[in-house]
Amino acid sequence: MARGDLTDEQWAVLEPLLPVRKKAGRPAVWTRRQLIDGIRFRVRTGVPWRDVPEQYGSWGRVYELFRRWQRDGTWQRVFTQLQARADAKDLIGWDLDVDASATVHRTRRRAEGRRCPAPARTTPPTPKPDVLVTFEAASGSTLTVR
């Protein structure tokens, strides 16, 4: 097991949340765990997909699983379920932080004397609030959503 790969305990939590695999067809060359470790390696290091080490499976297969699950919403479902479990165990501290810096920045640009583009609309646009929500876990990691 390479540094950063899923531990047996982590895999035991993650595996039941994954979609059920169809049994028909050719047997898999690479295990799901290897492919997911390859996805995690790529996301953690930021290397191009073609540079994912062969120990995780062929880079094309790793990318294919990532994109398929991204398109069908599997990653979002897994994230939501893990977040719900962590919240049920009080491992997440929910803090709301409203950030108005975007408004201040736009105001500052105009105050500096920069030329502002002419309004393209004849009717005023619907105002959208600039809200920044930060979720903090008990472990100290944070998730920021705008």
Side-chain angles (χ1 to χ4, degrees), residues 96-99 130-134 144-146:
L96 179 64
D97 181 20
V98 178
D99 182 16
D130 285 330
V131 177
L132 184 68
V133 180
T134 303
T144 304
V145 179
R146 184 172 289 275

Side-chain angles (χ1 to χ4, degrees), residues 1 25-26 30 36 40-41 59 66 69 82 104 106 119 141:
M1 179 174 8
R26 289 177 26 188
W30 307 100
I36 291 171
R40 293 179 68 239
F41 174 85
W59 72 268
F66 171 77
W69 284 2
L82 288 173
V104 172
R106 283 193 298 267
S141 61

Side-chain angles (χ1 to χ4, degrees), residues 90-106:
D90 285 334
L91 298 175
I92 298 178
W94 298 94
D95 295 327
L96 179 64
D97 181 20
V98 178
D99 182 16
S101 64
T103 304
V104 172
H105 178 69
R106 283 193 298 267

Side-chain angles (χ1 to χ4, degrees), residues 6-111:
L6 289 169
T7 64
D8 291 334
E9 183 180 327
Q10 291 170 331
W11 181 247
V13 171
L14 182 62
E15 189 175 26
L17 305 177
L18 301 177
V20 178
R21 196 186 284 217
K22 297 174 186 168
K23 297 293 180 186
R26 289 177 26 188
V29 176
W30 307 100
T31 66
R32 262 192 180 176
R33 187 171 179 171
Q34 284 176 298
L35 296 172
I36 291 171
D37 281 337
I39 292 167
R40 293 179 68 239
F41 174 85
R42 194 279 176 181
V43 170
R44 186 176 61 248
T45 61
V47 300
W49 285 105
R50 289 182 185 264
D51 291 341
V52 172
E54 190 68 26
Q55 72 189 43
Y56 299 121
S58 68
W59 72 268
R61 184 68 182 100
V62 173
Y63 176 73
E64 178 190 338
L65 180 68
F66 171 77
R67 285 295 290 156
R68 184 167 16 106
W69 284 2
Q70 185 180 44
R71 286 185 187 121
D72 70 13
T74 298
W75 294 121
Q76 185 61 42
R77 282 191 301 276
V78 168
F79 173 75
T80 303
Q81 291 172 350
L82 288 173
Q83 189 178 47
R85 286 182 182 191
D87 191 30
K89 294 180 182 180
D90 285 334
L91 298 175
I92 298 178
W94 298 94
D95 295 327
L96 179 64
D97 181 20
V98 178
D99 182 16
S101 64
T103 304
V104 172
H105 178 69
R106 283 193 298 267
T107 305
R108 186 178 307 126
R109 281 185 57 199
R110 290 183 176 99

